Amino acid sequence: MTEYHFCTVEDAGRIRIVTINRPEVMNALHSEAHWEFDRVWNEFAADPELWVGIITGAGERAFSAGNDLKVQAAGKRGRARRPGLPGCRTASISTSR
């Protein structure tokens, strides 16, 4: 499995548990984290053995504060993001598994 910087990924049987791991900024997301989640969920979508995806947030204060405004205000925007939830734009949902 790929190593990640902004989240932890655990596969348990047919379940993938992804934890946003930036509690110091209430799990706020920036461009680099967005692309990392894109890889995480595309891997999930490509693996027929994984049926359920769960996303959680590390820390006690917030699941996710949303966009990391401090990174954006500092002009560190990174490469442009595609619209939509990372990794979920091309995946099809099937109930036949």
Side-chain angles (χ1 to χ4, degrees):
M1 187 182 304
T2 309
E3 189 170 316
Y4 300 104
H5 301 286
F6 305 112
C7 66
T8 60
V9 177
E10 176 188 351
D11 291 341
R14 296 191 181 276
I15 300 170
R16 170 163 284 189
I17 302 169
V18 179
T19 303
I20 305 169
N21 196 20
R22 300 188 73 220
E24 69 281 1
V25 292
M26 295 190 336
N27 298 314
L29 302 176
H30 50 33
S31 181
E32 292 85 4
H34 174 88
W35 288 108
E36 186 169 282
F37 286 123
D38 195 58
R39 286 192 310 272
V40 167
W41 294 114
N42 281 324
E43 287 175 3
F44 169 80
D47 188 338
E49 296 301 313
L50 293 172
W51 290 9
V52 175
I54 299 171
I55 186 165
T56 66
E60 300 294 322
R61 296 181 58 208
F63 161 69
S64 176
N67 186 28
D68 193 330
L69 298 177
K70 289 182 180 179
V71 170
Q72 186 172 357
K76 302 175 186 173
R77 297 192 66 162
R79 60 186 169 132
R81 297 181 290 180
R82 292 180 286 188
L85 184 64
C88 294
R89 286 169 293 281
T90 59
S92 62
I93 297 174
S94 171
T95 57
S96 62
R97 288 184 174 183

